Amino acid sequence: QVQLLEPGGGLVQAGGSLRLSCAAPGLPFSNYAMAWFPQAPGKERESLAAINWSGGRTGYADSVKGRFTISRDNTKNSVYLQMNSLKPEDTAVYYCAPLRDYDRRSPFDYWGQGTQVTVSS
């Protein structure tokens, strides 16, 4: 049974920082690329940061380049998202997911409860 556990969200003022974490017990974690998928109200869930199985490759949506950093620790079955210089438009529920294909950012259909990130102006 794959679980995705995503603590770490919260409320922060614009310009502030948050660090999200995602633990994946039950997943052969080091076999999979991982990504973060925010979903804002009324919008599709789209990848904004991805990392390959080893951590040697990362990719970001243009909207977060230079502000967000994805990382992973395969010994802890965990992936992280360091979010700096947050903007109100970053407000969303953030989900992590393992990827079927790193380059296409296509996720397996495993989703946790997500974590709410709210950025106030």
Side-chain angles (χ1 to χ4, degrees), residues 6-20 38-41 67-68 81 83-95 114-121:
E6 300 132 329
L11 172 65
V12 64
Q13 287 190 326
S17 297
L18 280 175
R19 185 176 190 247
L20 306 184
Q39 187 168 25
R67 299 192 297 123
F68 291 9
L81 187 67
M83 311 165 71
N84 298 330
S85 303
L86 281 159
K87 303 176 181 180
E89 52 263 44
D90 296 321
T91 295
V93 178
Y94 283 71
Y95 300 87
T115 186
Q116 177 70 49
V117 172
T118 303
V119 185
S120 62
S121 56

Short mmCIF file of all heavy atoms in Angstrom, two decimals, residues 6-20 38-41 67-68 81 83-95 114-121:
data_model
loop_
_atom_site.label_atom_id
_atom_site.label_comp_id
_atom_site.label_asym_id
_atom_site.label_seq_id
_atom_site.Cartn_x
_atom_site.Cartn_y
_atom_site.Cartn_z
N GLU A 6 2.18 14.31 3.60
CA GLU A 6 2.65 15.64 3.23
C GLU A 6 2.39 16.67 4.33
O GLU A 6 1.50 17.51 4.21
CB GLU A 6 1.97 16.10 1.94
CG GLU A 6 2.23 15.21 0.75
CD GLU A 6 0.95 14.86 0.00
OE1 GLU A 6 -0.12 14.78 0.64
OE2 GLU A 6 1.01 14.66 -1.22
N PRO A 7 3.13 16.66 5.41
CA PRO A 7 3.02 17.74 6.39
C PRO A 7 3.79 18.97 5.91
O PRO A 7 4.43 18.92 4.85
CB PRO A 7 3.69 17.13 7.63
CG PRO A 7 4.73 16.24 7.05
CD PRO A 7 4.15 15.67 5.79
N GLY A 8 3.71 20.05 6.64
CA GLY A 8 4.64 21.15 6.41
C GLY A 8 4.08 22.40 5.78
O GLY A 8 4.81 23.36 5.60
N GLY A 9 2.80 22.44 5.45
CA GLY A 9 2.25 23.65 4.87
C GLY A 9 1.96 24.68 5.94
O GLY A 9 2.39 24.56 7.08
N GLY A 10 1.24 25.73 5.54
CA GLY A 10 0.88 26.74 6.52
C GLY A 10 0.57 28.07 5.88
O GLY A 10 0.44 28.16 4.65
N LEU A 11 0.46 29.07 6.73
CA LEU A 11 0.16 30.44 6.31
C LEU A 11 1.42 31.27 6.46
O LEU A 11 2.07 31.24 7.52
CB LEU A 11 -0.96 31.01 7.18
CG LEU A 11 -1.30 32.49 7.01
CD1 LEU A 11 -1.84 32.77 5.62
CD2 LEU A 11 -2.30 32.92 8.08
N VAL A 12 1.77 32.01 5.42
CA VAL A 12 2.98 32.82 5.45
C VAL A 12 2.72 34.11 4.69
O VAL A 12 1.88 34.14 3.78
CB VAL A 12 4.17 32.04 4.85
CG1 VAL A 12 3.95 31.74 3.38
CG2 VAL A 12 5.48 32.75 5.09
N GLN A 13 3.41 35.15 5.07
CA GLN A 13 3.29 36.42 4.35
C GLN A 13 4.11 36.38 3.06
O GLN A 13 5.09 35.62 2.95
CB GLN A 13 3.78 37.57 5.22
CG GLN A 13 2.84 37.92 6.36
CD GLN A 13 3.24 39.20 7.05
OE1 GLN A 13 4.42 39.51 7.16
NE2 GLN A 13 2.25 39.95 7.52
N ALA A 14 3.70 37.18 2.10
CA ALA A 14 4.44 37.30 0.85
C ALA A 14 5.90 37.64 1.16
O ALA A 14 6.18 38.47 2.03
CB ALA A 14 3.81 38.35 -0.04
N GLY A 15 6.80 36.97 0.43
CA GLY A 15 8.22 37.16 0.66
C GLY A 15 8.81 36.16 1.64
O GLY A 15 10.04 36.07 1.76
N GLY A 16 7.97 35.43 2.32
CA GLY A 16 8.42 34.47 3.31
C GLY A 16 8.80 33.13 2.70
O GLY A 16 8.81 32.96 1.47
N SER A 17 9.11 32.17 3.58
CA SER A 17 9.57 30.85 3.15
C SER A 17 8.82 29.75 3.87
O SER A 17 8.34 29.95 5.00
CB SER A 17 11.07 30.69 3.45
OG SER A 17 11.84 31.61 2.72
N LEU A 18 8.71 28.61 3.21
CA LEU A 18 8.17 27.40 3.80
C LEU A 18 8.96 26.22 3.24
O LEU A 18 9.47 26.29 2.12
CB LEU A 18 6.70 27.21 3.45
CG LEU A 18 5.63 27.96 4.22
CD1 LEU A 18 4.26 27.71 3.61
CD2 LEU A 18 5.64 27.58 5.68
N ARG A 19 9.00 25.15 4.03
CA ARG A 19 9.62 23.91 3.54
C ARG A 19 8.59 22.79 3.66
O ARG A 19 8.11 22.51 4.76
CB ARG A 19 10.87 23.56 4.33
CG ARG A 19 11.62 22.35 3.78
CD ARG A 19 12.89 22.12 4.56
NE ARG A 19 13.77 21.13 3.95
CZ ARG A 19 14.05 19.96 4.49
NH1 ARG A 19 13.50 19.60 5.64
NH2 ARG A 19 14.86 19.11 3.87
N LEU A 20 8.25 22.21 2.53
CA LEU A 20 7.32 21.08 2.51
C LEU A 20 8.11 19.78 2.49
O LEU A 20 9.20 19.71 1.92
CB LEU A 20 6.42 21.14 1.27
CG LEU A 20 5.65 22.43 1.03
CD1 LEU A 20 4.74 22.27 -0.18
CD2 LEU A 20 4.86 22.84 2.26
N PRO A 38 1.02 21.47 -7.26
CA PRO A 38 0.07 22.33 -6.57
C PRO A 38 -1.27 22.35 -7.30
O PRO A 38 -1.33 22.16 -8.52
CB PRO A 38 0.73 23.72 -6.63
CG PRO A 38 1.55 23.67 -7.87
CD PRO A 38 2.00 22.23 -8.03
N GLN A 39 -2.32 22.54 -6.53
CA GLN A 39 -3.65 22.70 -7.12
C GLN A 39 -4.35 23.86 -6.43
O GLN A 39 -4.69 23.79 -5.25
CB GLN A 39 -4.47 21.43 -6.97
CG GLN A 39 -5.80 21.51 -7.72
CD GLN A 39 -6.49 20.17 -7.82
OE1 GLN A 39 -6.28 19.27 -7.00
NE2 GLN A 39 -7.33 20.01 -8.83
N ALA A 40 -4.53 24.91 -7.19
CA ALA A 40 -5.25 26.08 -6.69
C ALA A 40 -6.74 25.91 -6.99
O ALA A 40 -7.10 25.15 -7.91
CB ALA A 40 -4.71 27.35 -7.35
N PRO A 41 -7.61 26.58 -6.27
CA PRO A 41 -9.04 26.44 -6.51
C PRO A 41 -9.41 26.72 -7.96
O PRO A 41 -8.99 27.72 -8.54
CB PRO A 41 -9.65 27.49 -5.58
CG PRO A 41 -8.66 27.64 -4.48
CD PRO A 41 -7.32 27.46 -5.13
N ARG A 67 13.27 30.38 -7.10
CA ARG A 67 12.60 30.57 -5.80
C ARG A 67 12.40 29.26 -5.05
O ARG A 67 12.49 29.23 -3.83
CB ARG A 67 11.23 31.24 -6.00
CG ARG A 67 11.29 32.60 -6.64
CD ARG A 67 9.94 33.31 -6.54
NE ARG A 67 8.88 32.60 -7.24
CZ ARG A 67 7.74 32.19 -6.66
NH1 ARG A 67 7.54 32.41 -5.37
NH2 ARG A 67 6.81 31.58 -7.39
N PHE A 68 12.11 28.20 -5.77
CA PHE A 68 11.84 26.90 -5.15
C PHE A 68 12.96 25.93 -5.45
O PHE A 68 13.56 25.96 -6.53
CB PHE A 68 10.54 26.31 -5.69
CG PHE A 68 9.27 27.02 -5.27
CD1 PHE A 68 9.30 28.24 -4.62
CD2 PHE A 68 8.04 26.45 -5.53
CE1 PHE A 68 8.14 28.89 -4.23
CE2 PHE A 68 6.85 27.08 -5.16
CZ PHE A 68 6.92 28.30 -4.52
N LEU A 81 10.39 20.30 -0.63
CA LEU A 81 10.28 21.48 -1.48
C LEU A 81 10.55 22.70 -0.62
O LEU A 81 9.74 23.04 0.26
CB LEU A 81 8.89 21.58 -2.12
CG LEU A 81 8.74 22.69 -3.15
CD1 LEU A 81 9.60 22.42 -4.38
CD2 LEU A 81 7.28 22.87 -3.55
N MET A 83 10.56 26.51 -0.39
CA MET A 83 9.85 27.57 -1.09
C MET A 83 10.27 28.91 -0.50
O MET A 83 10.00 29.18 0.68
CB MET A 83 8.34 27.38 -0.93
CG MET A 83 7.88 25.95 -1.24
SD MET A 83 6.20 25.59 -0.65
CE MET A 83 5.25 26.57 -1.79
N ASN A 84 10.95 29.72 -1.29
CA ASN A 84 11.40 31.04 -0.86
C ASN A 84 10.71 32.13 -1.67
O ASN A 84 10.17 31.86 -2.74
CB ASN A 84 12.91 31.15 -1.01
CG ASN A 84 13.68 30.17 -0.15
OD1 ASN A 84 13.22 29.77 0.92
ND2 ASN A 84 14.85 29.76 -0.63
N SER A 85 10.77 33.33 -1.17
CA SER A 85 10.19 34.49 -1.86
C SER A 85 8.76 34.19 -2.31
O SER A 85 8.38 34.43 -3.46
CB SER A 85 11.06 34.89 -3.07
OG SER A 85 12.37 35.17 -2.67
N LEU A 86 7.98 33.68 -1.40
CA LEU A 86 6.62 33.26 -1.74
C LEU A 86 5.75 34.42 -2.17
O LEU A 86 5.90 35.55 -1.67
CB LEU A 86 6.00 32.52 -0.55
CG LEU A 86 6.47 31.06 -0.42
CD1 LEU A 86 6.26 30.55 0.99
CD2 LEU A 86 5.76 30.19 -1.42
N LYS A 87 4.85 34.12 -3.10
CA LYS A 87 3.92 35.10 -3.64
C LYS A 87 2.48 34.63 -3.38
O LYS A 87 2.24 33.43 -3.29
CB LYS A 87 4.14 35.24 -5.15
CG LYS A 87 5.54 35.63 -5.55
CD LYS A 87 5.68 35.65 -7.06
CE LYS A 87 7.09 36.01 -7.48
NZ LYS A 87 7.24 36.03 -8.96
N PRO A 88 1.54 35.55 -3.34
CA PRO A 88 0.14 35.12 -3.14
C PRO A 88 -0.33 34.11 -4.18
O PRO A 88 -1.12 33.21 -3.85
CB PRO A 88 -0.63 36.43 -3.24
CG PRO A 88 0.33 37.46 -2.76
CD PRO A 88 1.67 37.00 -3.26
N GLU A 89 0.18 34.21 -5.39
CA GLU A 89 -0.23 33.25 -6.44
C GLU A 89 0.33 31.86 -6.24
O GLU A 89 -0.05 30.92 -6.95
CB GLU A 89 0.15 33.78 -7.82
CG GLU A 89 1.60 34.19 -7.97
CD GLU A 89 1.80 35.69 -7.79
OE1 GLU A 89 1.21 36.28 -6.84
OE2 GLU A 89 2.56 36.28 -8.57
N ASP A 90 1.21 31.67 -5.24
CA ASP A 90 1.67 30.32 -4.89
C ASP A 90 0.67 29.60 -4.01
O ASP A 90 0.84 28.41 -3.75
CB ASP A 90 3.02 30.40 -4.16
CG ASP A 90 4.14 30.95 -5.02
OD1 ASP A 90 4.20 30.62 -6.22
OD2 ASP A 90 4.95 31.74 -4.47
N THR A 91 -0.35 30.28 -3.56
CA THR A 91 -1.36 29.66 -2.70
C THR A 91 -2.03 28.50 -3.42
O THR A 91 -2.53 28.64 -4.53
CB THR A 91 -2.42 30.71 -2.30
OG1 THR A 91 -1.79 31.71 -1.48
CG2 THR A 91 -3.55 30.07 -1.51
N ALA A 92 -2.02 27.35 -2.76
CA ALA A 92 -2.58 26.13 -3.35
C ALA A 92 -2.48 25.00 -2.33
O ALA A 92 -1.81 25.14 -1.30
CB ALA A 92 -1.82 25.74 -4.61
N VAL A 93 -3.14 23.89 -2.63
CA VAL A 93 -2.87 22.64 -1.93
C VAL A 93 -1.75 21.95 -2.71
O VAL A 93 -1.85 21.79 -3.94
CB VAL A 93 -4.11 21.74 -1.85
CG1 VAL A 93 -3.77 20.43 -1.16
CG2 VAL A 93 -5.23 22.46 -1.11
N TYR A 94 -0.70 21.56 -2.01
CA TYR A 94 0.47 20.96 -2.65
C TYR A 94 0.47 19.45 -2.40
O TYR A 94 0.35 18.98 -1.25
CB TYR A 94 1.75 21.58 -2.11
CG TYR A 94 2.02 22.94 -2.69
CD1 TYR A 94 1.25 24.04 -2.34
CD2 TYR A 94 3.06 23.13 -3.60
CE1 TYR A 94 1.47 25.28 -2.89
CE2 TYR A 94 3.30 24.39 -4.16
CZ TYR A 94 2.51 25.46 -3.79
OH TYR A 94 2.74 26.70 -4.34
N TYR A 95 0.62 18.70 -3.49
CA TYR A 95 0.68 17.25 -3.44
C TYR A 95 2.03 16.79 -3.99
O TYR A 95 2.57 17.41 -4.91
CB TYR A 95 -0.41 16.63 -4.31
CG TYR A 95 -1.82 17.00 -3.94
CD1 TYR A 95 -2.42 18.14 -4.44
CD2 TYR A 95 -2.56 16.17 -3.10
CE1 TYR A 95 -3.72 18.48 -4.10
CE2 TYR A 95 -3.87 16.50 -2.76
CZ TYR A 95 -4.44 17.65 -3.27
OH TYR A 95 -5.73 17.98 -2.93
N GLY A 114 -2.44 15.99 0.63
CA GLY A 114 -1.94 17.31 0.27
C GLY A 114 -1.75 18.19 1.49
O GLY A 114 -2.20 17.87 2.60
N THR A 115 -1.09 19.29 1.28
CA THR A 115 -0.88 20.25 2.36
C THR A 115 -1.19 21.65 1.85
O THR A 115 -0.76 22.02 0.76
CB THR A 115 0.54 20.13 2.94
OG1 THR A 115 0.68 20.97 4.08
CG2 THR A 115 1.60 20.51 1.91
N GLN A 116 -1.93 22.41 2.64
CA GLN A 116 -2.35 23.73 2.22
C GLN A 116 -1.23 24.75 2.45
O GLN A 116 -0.68 24.84 3.55
CB GLN A 116 -3.59 24.17 3.01
CG GLN A 116 -4.07 25.59 2.71
CD GLN A 116 -4.67 25.72 1.32
OE1 GLN A 116 -5.51 24.92 0.93
NE2 GLN A 116 -4.23 26.74 0.58
N VAL A 117 -0.92 25.50 1.42
CA VAL A 117 0.00 26.63 1.52
C VAL A 117 -0.79 27.89 1.18
O VAL A 117 -1.39 27.97 0.10
CB VAL A 117 1.19 26.47 0.57
CG1 VAL A 117 2.03 27.74 0.55
CG2 VAL A 117 2.04 25.26 0.98
N THR A 118 -0.80 28.82 2.10
CA THR A 118 -1.51 30.08 1.89
C THR A 118 -0.53 31.23 2.07
O THR A 118 0.12 31.33 3.12
CB THR A 118 -2.69 30.24 2.86
OG1 THR A 118 -3.58 29.12 2.72
CG2 THR A 118 -3.45 31.53 2.59
N VAL A 119 -0.42 32.08 1.05
CA VAL A 119 0.49 33.22 1.09
C VAL A 119 -0.35 34.49 1.09
O VAL A 119 -1.11 34.75 0.15
CB VAL A 119 1.44 33.22 -0.11
CG1 VAL A 119 2.45 34.35 0.02
CG2 VAL A 119 2.16 31.87 -0.22
N SER A 120 -0.21 35.25 2.16
CA SER A 120 -0.99 36.49 2.28
C SER A 120 -0.19 37.66 1.73
O SER A 120 1.03 37.70 1.82
CB SER A 120 -1.36 36.74 3.74
OG SER A 120 -0.20 36.92 4.51
N SER A 121 -0.91 38.61 1.16
CA SER A 121 -0.23 39.77 0.58
C SER A 121 -0.04 40.86 1.61
O SER A 121 -0.54 40.82 2.72
CB SER A 121 -1.04 40.31 -0.59
OG SER A 121 -2.35 40.61 -0.18
#
